[in-house]
Amino acid sequence: MSEQTKLDLYWTPKEAWDAMYEDCANSKKSIDFEQYILKDDSAGLRFLELFRDKARAGIKVRLILDSIGSRTLISSMVLKEFTDAGGHVHFYNRIVFANILSPHKWFPRNHTKLMVIDREIAYVGSVCVSEEMADWRDLHARITGDLALKVQSYFNHVWSHRYKSWRRSFSRKVSRLHEYQKDFSFLAALARFHPNFIYRQLLNEIRRAEKSVYLITPYFMPPLLLARALRAAAERGIDVKVMMSEKSDVPIADYVSQSYF
C-alpha cells in the first residue's frame, strides 16, 4: 500500500540530533548511517554508544563514514567496541600507504549526511555530528512514507558496492534511485559520476520556475550555469532570494561569496 510522504524540518544540528537519537533508540530492526563528519566527542560518542548497544541487542547497524571527515574514529576504542558487538563500518576512500604520496587520490570525499531507521524513517540534509556544530544554522529533514524506502534503496546499493567501482555500479541503477513526487523528490549523486543529477535537476527547476526561487547555502560560489540561471530567473520577474551565512567556518569562502553580489 502506498504511503504518503511526510516531511519534518530541523534548523540546527542539536534539534536534528535529538530527533535522530530518539528514532534510533526506538529502532527494532536496523540503523543505516552515512556521514561525512562523525567525531569522537560528546555528540558523536552519544550516537556511537547507542549504535554499539543496538548492535549488541541484535539490531543491524551499518555505518559509511568518510575517512577524512571522520578520521578521528578510525582508531577509536568505541568504534572497536561497536564492531566487536556486531556492528558494521566502512570508511570511504581511506588514505593508506599506497596513496599517501598521491594527494590527487585523496579525492573525492563523501559528503553525504543520511540515516535510515527500520526502513521507515529517513534523515537527509546538511547536518554533521560534531559538538562544535551544535548551534550552527543547518537544515535537516526527517522523512517518512514511500520516499523513505527510496532512501533505503540508495543506501543498500552504496553499501553493496562499497568495495567496487561506485561510478560503474551506480550508473546501472541510477534510474531506480531517483524518486519524483508532486511535493518531494529524492535525488542521489555519487562522486566521480557525471553529470551531477542534483545540480542538473536544480538548474532545470530554476529554469522552469514561474513565481519564486529560494536558495539556502553556507557558501555562495555558484558555477557559471547556476549563476546564469539565477540571473535569468530574476530578469524574467521571478522572485529570487539567496540566504547565506553572514560568517561561516571558512572565512575565505565568505569573501568569495560576496564577490557574486
Side-chain angles (χ1 to χ4, degrees), residues 78-142:
V78 71
L79 193 67
K80 184 179 186 304
E81 293 174 357
F82 165 72
T83 55
D84 288 346
H88 306 275
V89 61
H90 170 68
F91 281 95
Y92 176 76
N93 196 11
R94 291 190 65 167
I95 298 176
V96 294
F97 181 78
N99 64 10
I100 195 169
L101 297 179
S102 304
H104 66 283
K105 294 183 180 180
W106 303 353
F107 299 95
R109 305 307 330 158
N110 182 358
H111 282 268
T112 301
K113 294 96 176 179
L114 174 152
M115 176 180 279
V116 189
I117 299 113
D118 289 346
R119 298 175 54 85
E120 298 175 350
I121 303 168
Y123 286 86
V124 297
S126 60
V127 166
C128 296
V129 183
S130 172
E131 189 60 40
E132 65 179 355
M133 303 176 181
D135 296 318
W136 283 18
R137 172 66 167 79
D138 264 319
L139 186 62
H140 220 57
R142 181 183 189 269

Side-chain angles (χ1 to χ4, degrees), residues 122-239:
Y123 286 86
V124 297
S126 60
V127 166
C128 296
V129 183
S130 172
E131 189 60 40
E132 65 179 355
M133 303 176 181
D135 296 318
W136 283 18
R137 172 66 167 79
D138 264 319
L139 186 62
H140 220 57
R142 181 183 189 269
I143 302 169
T144 57
D146 290 340
L147 201 57
L149 289 175
K150 282 294 178 180
V151 181
Q152 180 70 74
S153 177
Y154 158 82
F155 185 94
N156 289 344
H157 184 69
V158 172
W159 182 264
S160 65
H161 292 84
R162 62 197 182 280
Y163 299 117
K164 302 176 183 178
S165 170
W166 285 18
R167 173 192 169 110
R168 185 167 59 250
S169 63
F170 185 70
S171 64
R172 291 197 296 266
K173 198 175 180 181
V174 69
S175 61
R176 292 187 57 191
L177 300 181
H178 287 202
E179 178 69 8
Y180 299 93
Q181 297 184 2
K182 180 179 180 181
D183 299 313
F184 306 110
S185 299
F186 172 71
L187 297 96
L190 290 180
R192 295 195 179 99
F193 190 79
H194 298 286
N196 185 305
F197 290 94
I198 297 174
Y199 179 55
R200 189 170 68 183
Q201 186 67 14
L202 177 62
L203 288 175
N204 290 339
E205 295 293 345
I206 293 173
R207 290 164 178 165
R208 291 198 295 258
E210 298 179 355
K211 297 180 180 179
S212 60
V213 175
Y214 298 151
L215 177 66
I216 302 176
T217 178
Y219 320 111
F220 186 65
M221 293 175 281
L224 180 60
L225 291 180
L226 179 56
R228 286 178 175 175
L230 290 171
R231 186 170 58 206
E235 288 174 347
R236 68 177 188 268
I238 303 301
D239 182 22

